[in-house]
Amino acid sequence: MRLQRYLKVGVLKWVSFLIFNSTSAQTEIEYLRDSVLKSIDNGMIATIRYRPKDSAGAIGLPNKYSSPSPMGSDMFSELYYWDAFFSNRYYWLPKAKLGNIEAFEIARGNVNNLIYLVNKYGFVPNANRFSMLNRSQLPLLSEMVKDIFEISGDVNWLQTAVEALEREHQFWMQNRAVQVKVKGDFVSLNRFGNQANREQLIGFYKFLKQRLQPNSGHLLNGAVSVPSTLFDAHTILASDERELDSQLYFASHLLAEAESGWDFTPRFQGHCMDFIPVDLNAVLGSMEQNMVDFYRALQAFESDPYKIDIQNFRLVYYQKAVVTRKLAMDKYLWNKNYGCYLDYNWRKFDVGQPVRKQSLLTAASFWPIYLNWGKESNARSVHRMLNALMFHDVVMPIAKYEAHAQEMPYVCQWHAPNVWAPLQILAWASIQSKPLGQDFWMISAIKNSWLHLVTKQWETDGKFKEKYSAITNESDVQLFNNWQSIGTMKKEVNENFTVEEGYGTPTMMGWTAAVTYFFLLLP
């Protein structure tokens, strides 16, 4: 009933609204198009860095790379994992396909740097910072390798990349696996986590108290439920020691949330490691399918029978992995009501507030559709997802009718009213691949509404931002006050209806500029 209540929008009203708003936004965007494209080009060139030597905080990289932020910015000056994926796919490689050789070299340099990090550490860190060696991020390297190989066709390079991907896959299967039962056998799905030691977790907790201000005094007051198994039944802990362990437990879950890229969000309710996430498992499933395709490509150019046998052995391994993951995801993550995969909460606590077994509908559920992975969501299901996640024709991180999302005692930037570039392109690509008859307008609306947000800000200060706010007026503020807690809203939105969360909203090129560039080139 809740879902139906939000989906009952008259077709004529919906279409006429979109025609008016899309036409108005499109006219404004066309007027600014060339100026914005030039600004993006200049800004993206300014993100290119070459730092081959280690510094006090950063890991040296052998190739030039593109950071999320331009020169002169103190934030995001390193190579960030999943930002590099969106920057490559939606800016550098489209430029390369238009004949820009330097753009291709930057894109390949980004990938080669990630391969270098895998070979050095056994996984890709969140970014090339020593402080981020305690976590990875959404493992999109195989998608990036696929993009490069489709252009270059360089089999020798592919062989080197595949060796690194074998190491990355091993990292996730050995360090982030959860055993689930399918047809009588135990198989592995994956979760986000971290490999931080006690000292690092203490430091991260202190960081959280600063970043999540002003609500940090209540971080453990209902924010997470701590299982009794955390404490040794044969040891009586002093109250301050028990409090420290609770803090470390909380910090560990939120460090895992940082590995997801959604730092921080109501999506996991402060218990990130207790969820089997839809995006992570779809990306790993796509990685396993990519490895099948890569080994087939390598076999086509291999003449050594011994190497062909090894390649075939690994090919069969990944074919089985694809089948196994699909079966497990279909059993545990597929939701019949929504017609899509959702995060799955696999653990139940024995004390404190119970964690929900039903997961939230979030924009992460677009990843399997985007990657064409697993059970197919039909067009009507995608349409329902978008209706539940959209506000002012942009995609929110979490569906607006999810009451559970209001329970967090601290501000979460991966939540309404914040608008993020990756979620717009995921949703746009998903509905683009499965449109209903009337969804032409929805496809156009996502693109034009995102461009309107970006160009409006750009007209003000000539800058692009990490994220934007969907709030445009006082009535929106009231709506969001009903949508989530009033206290949180007052912390998150100022009198100009702009985002004010955590570390603020820094100037950023990266995925913001890349998605904007891609949308501007569309007819």
Side-chain angles (χ1 to χ4, degrees), residues 120-142:
K120 187 170 184 176
Y121 297 107
F123 69 102
V124 180
N126 187 159
N128 61 311
R129 291 195 64 84
F130 289 108
S131 61
M132 294 185 177
L133 286 173
N134 54 26
R135 62 187 182 274
S136 184
Q137 214 168 38
L138 204 59
L140 288 159
L141 181 55
S142 80

mmCIF file with all atom_site columns, all heavy atoms in Angstrom, residues 120-142:
data_model
loop_
_atom_site.group_PDB
_atom_site.id
_atom_site.type_symbol
_atom_site.label_atom_id
_atom_site.label_alt_id
_atom_site.label_comp_id
_atom_site.label_asym_id
_atom_site.label_entity_id
_atom_site.label_seq_id
_atom_site.pdbx_PDB_ins_code
_atom_site.Cartn_x
_atom_site.Cartn_y
_atom_site.Cartn_z
_atom_site.occupancy
_atom_site.B_iso_or_equiv
_atom_site.pdbx_formal_charge
_atom_site.auth_seq_id
_atom_site.auth_comp_id
_atom_site.auth_asym_id
_atom_site.auth_atom_id
_atom_site.pdbx_PDB_model_num
ATOM 1   N N   . LYS A 1 120 ? 50.955 -4.263 -5.728  1.00 0.00 ? 120 LYS A N   1
ATOM 2   C CA  . LYS A 1 120 ? 51.748 -3.874 -4.568  1.00 0.00 ? 120 LYS A CA  1
ATOM 3   C C   . LYS A 1 120 ? 51.109 -4.299 -3.254  1.00 0.00 ? 120 LYS A C   1
ATOM 4   O O   . LYS A 1 120 ? 51.804 -4.740 -2.322  1.00 0.00 ? 120 LYS A O   1
ATOM 5   C CB  . LYS A 1 120 ? 51.947 -2.356 -4.572  1.00 0.00 ? 120 LYS A CB  1
ATOM 6   C CG  . LYS A 1 120 ? 52.904 -1.850 -3.487  1.00 0.00 ? 120 LYS A CG  1
ATOM 7   C CD  . LYS A 1 120 ? 53.241 -0.380 -3.688  1.00 0.00 ? 120 LYS A CD  1
ATOM 8   C CE  . LYS A 1 120 ? 54.273 0.079  -2.643  1.00 0.00 ? 120 LYS A CE  1
ATOM 9   N NZ  . LYS A 1 120 ? 54.691 1.491  -2.874  1.00 0.00 ? 120 LYS A NZ  1
ATOM 10  N N   . TYR A 1 121 ? 49.773 -4.189 -3.156  1.00 0.00 ? 121 TYR A N   1
ATOM 11  C CA  . TYR A 1 121 ? 49.093 -4.424 -1.879  1.00 0.00 ? 121 TYR A CA  1
ATOM 12  C C   . TYR A 1 121 ? 48.128 -5.612 -1.895  1.00 0.00 ? 121 TYR A C   1
ATOM 13  O O   . TYR A 1 121 ? 47.612 -5.995 -0.845  1.00 0.00 ? 121 TYR A O   1
ATOM 14  C CB  . TYR A 1 121 ? 48.325 -3.170 -1.456  1.00 0.00 ? 121 TYR A CB  1
ATOM 15  C CG  . TYR A 1 121 ? 49.223 -1.977 -1.212  1.00 0.00 ? 121 TYR A CG  1
ATOM 16  C CD1 . TYR A 1 121 ? 49.260 -0.912 -2.107  1.00 0.00 ? 121 TYR A CD1 1
ATOM 17  C CD2 . TYR A 1 121 ? 50.040 -1.914 -0.081  1.00 0.00 ? 121 TYR A CD2 1
ATOM 18  C CE1 . TYR A 1 121 ? 50.089 0.180  -1.893  1.00 0.00 ? 121 TYR A CE1 1
ATOM 19  C CE2 . TYR A 1 121 ? 50.873 -0.830 0.144   1.00 0.00 ? 121 TYR A CE2 1
ATOM 20  C CZ  . TYR A 1 121 ? 50.898 0.212  -0.767  1.00 0.00 ? 121 TYR A CZ  1
ATOM 21  O OH  . TYR A 1 121 ? 51.726 1.294  -0.550  1.00 0.00 ? 121 TYR A OH  1
ATOM 22  N N   . GLY A 1 122 ? 47.853 -6.164 -3.058  1.00 0.00 ? 122 GLY A N   1
ATOM 23  C CA  . GLY A 1 122 ? 46.918 -7.284 -3.139  1.00 0.00 ? 122 GLY A CA  1
ATOM 24  C C   . GLY A 1 122 ? 45.476 -6.851 -3.310  1.00 0.00 ? 122 GLY A C   1
ATOM 25  O O   . GLY A 1 122 ? 44.579 -7.690 -3.419  1.00 0.00 ? 122 GLY A O   1
ATOM 26  N N   . PHE A 1 123 ? 45.219 -5.558 -3.345  1.00 0.00 ? 123 PHE A N   1
ATOM 27  C CA  . PHE A 1 123 ? 43.877 -5.016 -3.550  1.00 0.00 ? 123 PHE A CA  1
ATOM 28  C C   . PHE A 1 123 ? 44.029 -3.549 -3.944  1.00 0.00 ? 123 PHE A C   1
ATOM 29  O O   . PHE A 1 123 ? 45.113 -2.982 -3.855  1.00 0.00 ? 123 PHE A O   1
ATOM 30  C CB  . PHE A 1 123 ? 43.026 -5.140 -2.288  1.00 0.00 ? 123 PHE A CB  1
ATOM 31  C CG  . PHE A 1 123 ? 43.468 -4.244 -1.154  1.00 0.00 ? 123 PHE A CG  1
ATOM 32  C CD1 . PHE A 1 123 ? 42.788 -3.064 -0.870  1.00 0.00 ? 123 PHE A CD1 1
ATOM 33  C CD2 . PHE A 1 123 ? 44.576 -4.572 -0.370  1.00 0.00 ? 123 PHE A CD2 1
ATOM 34  C CE1 . PHE A 1 123 ? 43.199 -2.230 0.166   1.00 0.00 ? 123 PHE A CE1 1
ATOM 35  C CE2 . PHE A 1 123 ? 44.985 -3.752 0.669   1.00 0.00 ? 123 PHE A CE2 1
ATOM 36  C CZ  . PHE A 1 123 ? 44.290 -2.569 0.933   1.00 0.00 ? 123 PHE A CZ  1
ATOM 37  N N   . VAL A 1 124 ? 42.926 -2.938 -4.373  1.00 0.00 ? 124 VAL A N   1
ATOM 38  C CA  . VAL A 1 124 ? 42.942 -1.508 -4.681  1.00 0.00 ? 124 VAL A CA  1
ATOM 39  C C   . VAL A 1 124 ? 42.454 -0.751 -3.451  1.00 0.00 ? 124 VAL A C   1
ATOM 40  O O   . VAL A 1 124 ? 41.314 -0.941 -3.030  1.00 0.00 ? 124 VAL A O   1
ATOM 41  C CB  . VAL A 1 124 ? 42.039 -1.165 -5.877  1.00 0.00 ? 124 VAL A CB  1
ATOM 42  C CG1 . VAL A 1 124 ? 42.084 0.342  -6.150  1.00 0.00 ? 124 VAL A CG1 1
ATOM 43  C CG2 . VAL A 1 124 ? 42.466 -1.930 -7.117  1.00 0.00 ? 124 VAL A CG2 1
ATOM 44  N N   . PRO A 1 125 ? 43.276 0.097  -2.853  1.00 0.00 ? 125 PRO A N   1
ATOM 45  C CA  . PRO A 1 125 ? 42.801 0.893  -1.716  1.00 0.00 ? 125 PRO A CA  1
ATOM 46  C C   . PRO A 1 125 ? 41.728 1.894  -2.159  1.00 0.00 ? 125 PRO A C   1
ATOM 47  O O   . PRO A 1 125 ? 41.598 2.199  -3.348  1.00 0.00 ? 125 PRO A O   1
ATOM 48  C CB  . PRO A 1 125 ? 44.063 1.632  -1.236  1.00 0.00 ? 125 PRO A CB  1
ATOM 49  C CG  . PRO A 1 125 ? 45.212 0.954  -1.904  1.00 0.00 ? 125 PRO A CG  1
ATOM 50  C CD  . PRO A 1 125 ? 44.681 0.369  -3.173  1.00 0.00 ? 125 PRO A CD  1
ATOM 51  N N   . ASN A 1 126 ? 40.993 2.393  -1.184  1.00 0.00 ? 126 ASN A N   1
ATOM 52  C CA  . ASN A 1 126 ? 40.000 3.433  -1.406  1.00 0.00 ? 126 ASN A CA  1
ATOM 53  C C   . ASN A 1 126 ? 40.601 4.562  -2.261  1.00 0.00 ? 126 ASN A C   1
ATOM 54  O O   . ASN A 1 126 ? 39.976 5.072  -3.186  1.00 0.00 ? 126 ASN A O   1
ATOM 55  C CB  . ASN A 1 126 ? 39.554 3.959  -0.046  1.00 0.00 ? 126 ASN A CB  1
ATOM 56  C CG  . ASN A 1 126 ? 38.404 4.942  -0.098  1.00 0.00 ? 126 ASN A CG  1
ATOM 57  O OD1 . ASN A 1 126 ? 37.712 5.134  0.881   1.00 0.00 ? 126 ASN A OD1 1
ATOM 58  N ND2 . ASN A 1 126 ? 38.179 5.596  -1.215  1.00 0.00 ? 126 ASN A ND2 1
ATOM 59  N N   . ALA A 1 127 ? 41.817 4.958  -1.941  1.00 0.00 ? 127 ALA A N   1
ATOM 60  C CA  . ALA A 1 127 ? 42.580 5.944  -2.713  1.00 0.00 ? 127 ALA A CA  1
ATOM 61  C C   . ALA A 1 127 ? 44.051 5.699  -2.413  1.00 0.00 ? 127 ALA A C   1
ATOM 62  O O   . ALA A 1 127 ? 44.396 4.943  -1.491  1.00 0.00 ? 127 ALA A O   1
ATOM 63  C CB  . ALA A 1 127 ? 42.177 7.374  -2.341  1.00 0.00 ? 127 ALA A CB  1
ATOM 64  N N   . ASN A 1 128 ? 44.941 6.333  -3.170  1.00 0.00 ? 128 ASN A N   1
ATOM 65  C CA  . ASN A 1 128 ? 46.366 6.099  -2.941  1.00 0.00 ? 128 ASN A CA  1
ATOM 66  C C   . ASN A 1 128 ? 46.883 6.956  -1.779  1.00 0.00 ? 128 ASN A C   1
ATOM 67  O O   . ASN A 1 128 ? 47.797 7.754  -1.906  1.00 0.00 ? 128 ASN A O   1
ATOM 68  C CB  . ASN A 1 128 ? 47.177 6.375  -4.212  1.00 0.00 ? 128 ASN A CB  1
ATOM 69  C CG  . ASN A 1 128 ? 47.081 7.811  -4.713  1.00 0.00 ? 128 ASN A CG  1
ATOM 70  O OD1 . ASN A 1 128 ? 45.987 8.349  -4.834  1.00 0.00 ? 128 ASN A OD1 1
ATOM 71  N ND2 . ASN A 1 128 ? 48.223 8.416  -5.015  1.00 0.00 ? 128 ASN A ND2 1
ATOM 72  N N   . ARG A 1 129 ? 46.254 6.736  -0.628  1.00 0.00 ? 129 ARG A N   1
ATOM 73  C CA  . ARG A 1 129 ? 46.694 7.334  0.625   1.00 0.00 ? 129 ARG A CA  1
ATOM 74  C C   . ARG A 1 129 ? 47.034 6.215  1.601   1.00 0.00 ? 129 ARG A C   1
ATOM 75  O O   . ARG A 1 129 ? 46.309 5.218  1.695   1.00 0.00 ? 129 ARG A O   1
ATOM 76  C CB  . ARG A 1 129 ? 45.617 8.229  1.246   1.00 0.00 ? 129 ARG A CB  1
ATOM 77  C CG  . ARG A 1 129 ? 45.330 9.503  0.481   1.00 0.00 ? 129 ARG A CG  1
ATOM 78  C CD  . ARG A 1 129 ? 44.547 10.492 1.331   1.00 0.00 ? 129 ARG A CD  1
ATOM 79  N NE  . ARG A 1 129 ? 45.334 10.923 2.492   1.00 0.00 ? 129 ARG A NE  1
ATOM 80  C CZ  . ARG A 1 129 ? 46.236 11.896 2.465   1.00 0.00 ? 129 ARG A CZ  1
ATOM 81  N NH1 . ARG A 1 129 ? 46.504 12.528 1.333   1.00 0.00 ? 129 ARG A NH1 1
ATOM 82  N NH2 . ARG A 1 129 ? 46.885 12.229 3.556   1.00 0.00 ? 129 ARG A NH2 1
ATOM 83  N N   . PHE A 1 130 ? 48.119 6.364  2.353   1.00 0.00 ? 130 PHE A N   1
ATOM 84  C CA  . PHE A 1 130 ? 48.504 5.331  3.316   1.00 0.00 ? 130 PHE A CA  1
ATOM 85  C C   . PHE A 1 130 ? 47.401 5.116  4.349   1.00 0.00 ? 130 PHE A C   1
ATOM 86  O O   . PHE A 1 130 ? 47.185 3.994  4.812   1.00 0.00 ? 130 PHE A O   1
ATOM 87  C CB  . PHE A 1 130 ? 49.822 5.710  4.000   1.00 0.00 ? 130 PHE A CB  1
ATOM 88  C CG  . PHE A 1 130 ? 51.021 5.620  3.092   1.00 0.00 ? 130 PHE A CG  1
ATOM 89  C CD1 . PHE A 1 130 ? 51.652 6.764  2.635   1.00 0.00 ? 130 PHE A CD1 1
ATOM 90  C CD2 . PHE A 1 130 ? 51.496 4.390  2.667   1.00 0.00 ? 130 PHE A CD2 1
ATOM 91  C CE1 . PHE A 1 130 ? 52.754 6.692  1.789   1.00 0.00 ? 130 PHE A CE1 1
ATOM 92  C CE2 . PHE A 1 130 ? 52.593 4.293  1.812   1.00 0.00 ? 130 PHE A CE2 1
ATOM 93  C CZ  . PHE A 1 130 ? 53.223 5.452  1.369   1.00 0.00 ? 130 PHE A CZ  1
ATOM 94  N N   . SER A 1 131 ? 46.690 6.183  4.702   1.00 0.00 ? 131 SER A N   1
ATOM 95  C CA  . SER A 1 131 ? 45.624 6.069  5.700   1.00 0.00 ? 131 SER A CA  1
ATOM 96  C C   . SER A 1 131 ? 44.427 5.282  5.178   1.00 0.00 ? 131 SER A C   1
ATOM 97  O O   . SER A 1 131 ? 43.564 4.878  5.957   1.00 0.00 ? 131 SER A O   1
ATOM 98  C CB  . SER A 1 131 ? 45.160 7.462  6.141   1.00 0.00 ? 131 SER A CB  1
ATOM 99  O OG  . SER A 1 131 ? 44.632 8.193  5.041   1.00 0.00 ? 131 SER A OG  1
ATOM 100 N N   . MET A 1 132 ? 44.351 5.048  3.857   1.00 0.00 ? 132 MET A N   1
ATOM 101 C CA  . MET A 1 132 ? 43.228 4.323  3.278   1.00 0.00 ? 132 MET A CA  1
ATOM 102 C C   . MET A 1 132 ? 43.582 2.899  2.871   1.00 0.00 ? 132 MET A C   1
ATOM 103 O O   . MET A 1 132 ? 42.821 2.239  2.146   1.00 0.00 ? 132 MET A O   1
ATOM 104 C CB  . MET A 1 132 ? 42.668 5.099  2.077   1.00 0.00 ? 132 MET A CB  1
ATOM 105 C CG  . MET A 1 132 ? 42.047 6.426  2.474   1.00 0.00 ? 132 MET A CG  1
ATOM 106 S SD  . MET A 1 132 ? 41.249 7.274  1.090   1.00 0.00 ? 132 MET A SD  1
ATOM 107 C CE  . MET A 1 132 ? 40.563 8.708  1.928   1.00 0.00 ? 132 MET A CE  1
ATOM 108 N N   . LEU A 1 133 ? 44.717 2.412  3.360   1.00 0.00 ? 133 LEU A N   1
ATOM 109 C CA  . LEU A 1 133 ? 45.094 1.025  3.098   1.00 0.00 ? 133 LEU A CA  1
ATOM 110 C C   . LEU A 1 133 ? 44.296 0.037  3.945   1.00 0.00 ? 133 LEU A C   1
ATOM 111 O O   . LEU A 1 133 ? 44.455 -1.174 3.795   1.00 0.00 ? 133 LEU A O   1
ATOM 112 C CB  . LEU A 1 133 ? 46.597 0.830  3.363   1.00 0.00 ? 133 LEU A CB  1
ATOM 113 C CG  . LEU A 1 133 ? 47.533 1.416  2.303   1.00 0.00 ? 133 LEU A CG  1
ATOM 114 C CD1 . LEU A 1 133 ? 48.988 1.314  2.774   1.00 0.00 ? 133 LEU A CD1 1
ATOM 115 C CD2 . LEU A 1 133 ? 47.355 0.717  0.961   1.00 0.00 ? 133 LEU A CD2 1
ATOM 116 N N   . ASN A 1 134 ? 43.436 0.554  4.823   1.00 0.00 ? 134 ASN A N   1
ATOM 117 C CA  . ASN A 1 134 ? 42.619 -0.338 5.650   1.00 0.00 ? 134 ASN A CA  1
ATOM 118 C C   . ASN A 1 134 ? 41.273 -0.663 5.018   1.00 0.00 ? 134 ASN A C   1
ATOM 119 O O   . ASN A 1 134 ? 40.421 -1.284 5.633   1.00 0.00 ? 134 ASN A O   1
ATOM 120 C CB  . ASN A 1 134 ? 42.417 0.250  7.058   1.00 0.00 ? 134 ASN A CB  1
ATOM 121 C CG  . ASN A 1 134 ? 41.847 1.658  7.022   1.00 0.00 ? 134 ASN A CG  1
ATOM 122 O OD1 . ASN A 1 134 ? 41.167 2.045  6.076   1.00 0.00 ? 134 ASN A OD1 1
ATOM 123 N ND2 . ASN A 1 134 ? 42.125 2.434  8.069   1.00 0.00 ? 134 ASN A ND2 1
ATOM 124 N N   . ARG A 1 135 ? 41.072 -0.250 3.773   1.00 0.00 ? 135 ARG A N   1
ATOM 125 C CA  . ARG A 1 135 ? 39.814 -0.558 3.089   1.00 0.00 ? 135 ARG A CA  1
ATOM 126 C C   . ARG A 1 135 ? 39.996 -0.410 1.573   1.00 0.00 ? 135 ARG A C   1
ATOM 127 O O   . ARG A 1 135 ? 40.915 0.251  1.112   1.00 0.00 ? 135 ARG A O   1
ATOM 128 C CB  . ARG A 1 135 ? 38.703 0.375  3.552   1.00 0.00 ? 135 ARG A CB  1
ATOM 129 C CG  . ARG A 1 135 ? 38.959 1.859  3.252   1.00 0.00 ? 135 ARG A CG  1
ATOM 130 C CD  . ARG A 1 135 ? 37.902 2.728  3.903   1.00 0.00 ? 135 ARG A CD  1
ATOM 131 N NE  . ARG A 1 135 ? 38.041 4.147  3.623   1.00 0.00 ? 135 ARG A NE  1
ATOM 132 C CZ  . ARG A 1 135 ? 38.813 4.977  4.312   1.00 0.00 ? 135 ARG A CZ  1
ATOM 133 N NH1 . ARG A 1 135 ? 39.566 4.526  5.300   1.00 0.00 ? 135 ARG A NH1 1
ATOM 134 N NH2 . ARG A 1 135 ? 38.851 6.266  4.011   1.00 0.00 ? 135 ARG A NH2 1
ATOM 135 N N   . SER A 1 136 ? 39.096 -1.027 0.832   1.00 0.00 ? 136 SER A N   1
ATOM 136 C CA  . SER A 1 136 ? 39.068 -0.873 -0.619  1.00 0.00 ? 136 SER A CA  1
ATOM 137 C C   . SER A 1 136 ? 37.854 -0.027 -0.981  1.00 0.00 ? 136 SER A C   1
ATOM 138 O O   . SER A 1 136 ? 37.434 0.833  -0.202  1.00 0.00 ? 136 SER A O   1
ATOM 139 C CB  . SER A 1 136 ? 39.013 -2.244 -1.304  1.00 0.00 ? 136 SER A CB  1
ATOM 140 O OG  . SER A 1 136 ? 39.087 -2.116 -2.709  1.00 0.00 ? 136 SER A OG  1
ATOM 141 N N   . GLN A 1 137 ? 37.288 -0.267 -2.130  1.00 0.00 ? 137 GLN A N   1
ATOM 142 C CA  . GLN A 1 137 ? 36.058 0.387  -2.567  1.00 0.00 ? 137 GLN A CA  1
ATOM 143 C C   . GLN A 1 137 ? 35.432 -0.505 -3.625  1.00 0.00 ? 137 GLN A C   1
ATOM 144 O O   . GLN A 1 137 ? 35.994 -1.535 -3.996  1.00 0.00 ? 137 GLN A O   1
ATOM 145 C CB  . GLN A 1 137 ? 36.351 1.800  -3.099  1.00 0.00 ? 137 GLN A CB  1
ATOM 146 C CG  . GLN A 1 137 ? 35.243 2.802  -2.802  1.00 0.00 ? 137 GLN A CG  1
ATOM 147 C CD  . GLN A 1 137 ? 35.659 4.241  -3.057  1.00 0.00 ? 137 GLN A CD  1
ATOM 148 O OE1 . GLN A 1 137 ? 36.370 4.540  -4.008  1.00 0.00 ? 137 GLN A OE1 1
ATOM 149 N NE2 . GLN A 1 137 ? 35.198 5.157  -2.208  1.00 0.00 ? 137 GLN A NE2 1
ATOM 150 N N   . LEU A 1 138 ? 34.261 -0.150 -4.084  1.00 0.00 ? 138 LEU A N   1
ATOM 151 C CA  . LEU A 1 138 ? 33.552 -0.972 -5.049  1.00 0.00 ? 138 LEU A CA  1
ATOM 152 C C   . LEU A 1 138 ? 34.508 -1.431 -6.155  1.00 0.00 ? 138 LEU A C   1
ATOM 153 O O   . LEU A 1 138 ? 35.099 -0.599 -6.857  1.00 0.00 ? 138 LEU A O   1
ATOM 154 C CB  . LEU A 1 138 ? 32.401 -0.155 -5.645  1.00 0.00 ? 138 LEU A CB  1
ATOM 155 C CG  . LEU A 1 138 ? 31.212 -0.898 -6.236  1.00 0.00 ? 138 LEU A CG  1
ATOM 156 C CD1 . LEU A 1 138 ? 30.541 -1.785 -5.201  1.00 0.00 ? 138 LEU A CD1 1
ATOM 157 C CD2 . LEU A 1 138 ? 30.212 0.106  -6.811  1.00 0.00 ? 138 LEU A CD2 1
ATOM 158 N N   . PRO A 1 139 ? 34.696 -2.758 -6.343  1.00 0.00 ? 139 PRO A N   1
ATOM 159 C CA  . PRO A 1 139 ? 35.768 -3.283 -7.221  1.00 0.00 ? 139 PRO A CA  1
ATOM 160 C C   . PRO A 1 139 ? 35.424 -3.212 -8.704  1.00 0.00 ? 139 PRO A C   1
ATOM 161 O O   . PRO A 1 139 ? 35.080 -4.210 -9.349  1.00 0.00 ? 139 PRO A O   1
ATOM 162 C CB  . PRO A 1 139 ? 35.914 -4.733 -6.746  1.00 0.00 ? 139 PRO A CB  1
ATOM 163 C CG  . PRO A 1 139 ? 34.565 -5.100 -6.214  1.00 0.00 ? 139 PRO A CG  1
ATOM 164 C CD  . PRO A 1 139 ? 34.009 -3.840 -5.605  1.00 0.00 ? 139 PRO A CD  1
ATOM 165 N N   . LEU A 1 140 ? 35.592 -2.031 -9.262  1.00 0.00 ? 140 LEU A N   1
ATOM 166 C CA  . LEU A 1 140 ? 35.206 -1.768 -10.652 1.00 0.00 ? 140 LEU A CA  1
ATOM 167 C C   . LEU A 1 140 ? 36.363 -1.887 -11.635 1.00 0.00 ? 140 LEU A C   1
ATOM 168 O O   . LEU A 1 140 ? 36.219 -1.505 -12.807 1.00 0.00 ? 140 LEU A O   1
ATOM 169 C CB  . LEU A 1 140 ? 34.582 -0.370 -10.744 1.00 0.00 ? 140 LEU A CB  1
ATOM 170 C CG  . LEU A 1 140 ? 33.185 -0.260 -10.113 1.00 0.00 ? 140 LEU A CG  1
ATOM 171 C CD1 . LEU A 1 140 ? 32.847 1.194  -9.771  1.00 0.00 ? 140 LEU A CD1 1
ATOM 172 C CD2 . LEU A 1 140 ? 32.126 -0.842 -11.045 1.00 0.00 ? 140 LEU A CD2 1
ATOM 173 N N   . LEU A 1 141 ? 37.488 -2.415 -11.193 1.00 0.00 ? 141 LEU A N   1
ATOM 174 C CA  . LEU A 1 141 ? 38.665 -2.484 -12.063 1.00 0.00 ? 141 LEU A CA  1
ATOM 175 C C   . LEU A 1 141 ? 38.412 -3.308 -13.319 1.00 0.00 ? 141 LEU A C   1
ATOM 176 O O   . LEU A 1 141 ? 38.858 -2.947 -14.410 1.00 0.00 ? 141 LEU A O   1
ATOM 177 C CB  . LEU A 1 141 ? 39.865 -3.038 -11.290 1.00 0.00 ? 141 LEU A CB  1
ATOM 178 C CG  . LEU A 1 141 ? 41.186 -3.147 -12.062 1.00 0.00 ? 141 LEU A CG  1
ATOM 179 C CD1 . LEU A 1 141 ? 41.585 -1.809 -12.673 1.00 0.00 ? 141 LEU A CD1 1
ATOM 180 C CD2 . LEU A 1 141 ? 42.297 -3.682 -11.158 1.00 0.00 ? 141 LEU A CD2 1
ATOM 181 N N   . SER A 1 142 ? 37.681 -4.409 -13.195 1.00 0.00 ? 142 SER A N   1
ATOM 182 C CA  . SER A 1 142 ? 37.450 -5.243 -14.389 1.00 0.00 ? 142 SER A CA  1
ATOM 183 C C   . SER A 1 142 ? 36.632 -4.498 -15.432 1.00 0.00 ? 142 SER A C   1
ATOM 184 O O   . SER A 1 142 ? 36.841 -4.668 -16.638 1.00 0.00 ? 142 SER A O   1
ATOM 185 C CB  . SER A 1 142 ? 36.763 -6.559 -14.000 1.00 0.00 ? 142 SER A CB  1
ATOM 186 O OG  . SER A 1 142 ? 35.372 -6.400 -13.800 1.00 0.00 ? 142 SER A OG  1
#
